[in-house]
Amino acid sequence: MKVLVTVASKHGTAREIGKTIAEELENAGLEVELKNPEEVYSLDDYGAVVIGSAVYLTRWMDEATDFCRRFSSQLRHIPIWAFSVGLSGVPHDKVQDPSRVGPVLLNIEPKGYVTFPGRLDPSQLSLRERTVARLGGAVEGDFRDEQMIRDWAKQMIKEIKK
């Protein structure tokens, strides 16, 4: 089965998480294509889709929401999984509300959804982004959990191979 992993990423963290997921899927013997959402023109060749996006001000990036809009009718008939990346420094025991990402997730009805903690490196941010991060109390550091990412991908693989 061919799986599309498509990720909207501004500073690279979401893309790196997408690469980890793609690697895990490939290790399980699946054929995987990793693409930016704006590079996808058809879903005809895919048996499953994984879509992810960095989150800014509680919203997915425009590229990811546009992808979901463009392929909304097809996404209802293909198994899909979705992930968000952001909210660095959020304690692991605090549940994040996926509806804050926007109605995009409600429209595509993913089989699974997760928010992965990201990385905050102020040197990569614009002045506006640094200001928003500071005002929002974001914590500098790398909070990615590779085992959490791989475990989520392994759960997905079990569903795909049923």
Side-chain angles (χ1 to χ4, degrees):
M1 173 186 294
K2 194 172 187 179
V3 180
L4 171 66
V5 177
T6 183
V7 184
S9 184
K10 188 170 184 178
H11 299 290
T13 301
R15 178 85 173 168
E16 290 169 7
I17 289 172
K19 282 181 182 178
T20 300
I21 292 168
E23 178 183 289
E24 204 61 46
L25 295 172
E26 286 174 339
N27 289 343
L30 297 167
E31 184 180 351
V32 179
E33 284 193 359
L34 177 62
K35 292 184 173 185
N36 295 326
E38 64 275 16
E39 296 171 341
V40 180
Y41 302 104
S42 171
L43 298 181
D44 292 342
D45 295 336
Y46 303 107
V49 174
V50 180
I51 180 159
S53 179
V55 175
Y56 292 95
L57 300 174
T58 73
R59 295 186 57 216
W60 266 15
M61 292 180 62
D62 290 342
E63 295 85 352
T65 56
D66 180 60
F67 172 89
C68 292
R69 252 184 260 113
R70 285 187 294 133
F71 297 109
S72 63
S73 61
Q74 282 181 281
L75 290 171
R76 294 177 195 272
H77 304 289
I78 300 173
I80 60 170
W81 285 263
F83 68 92
S84 297
V85 179
L87 310 167
S88 64
V90 174
H92 288 292
D93 62 336
K94 301 293 181 191
V95 176
Q96 297 303 313
D97 178 5
S99 66
R100 293 191 71 193
V101 171
V104 66
L105 290 179
L106 301 174
N107 292 331
I108 63 173
E109 301 178 18
K111 292 176 86 48
Y113 171 76
V114 66
T115 298
F116 294 117
R119 172 182 63 203
L120 177 62
D121 179 354
S123 69
Q124 293 186 343
L125 305 179
S126 69
L127 176 60
R128 179 177 182 263
E129 290 170 329
R130 283 193 307 272
T131 302
V132 169
R134 194 171 344 168
L135 291 173
V139 179
E140 181 178 346
D142 189 342
F143 300 94
R144 292 174 293 175
D145 181 339
E146 187 167 336
Q147 192 59 53
M148 178 185 179
I149 297 163
R150 291 188 183 280
D151 288 346
W152 188 72
K154 287 174 184 171
Q155 291 173 358
M156 189 186 329
I157 291 163
K158 287 179 188 174
E159 287 285 316
I160 290 171
K161 290 194 165 190
K162 275 187 182 178

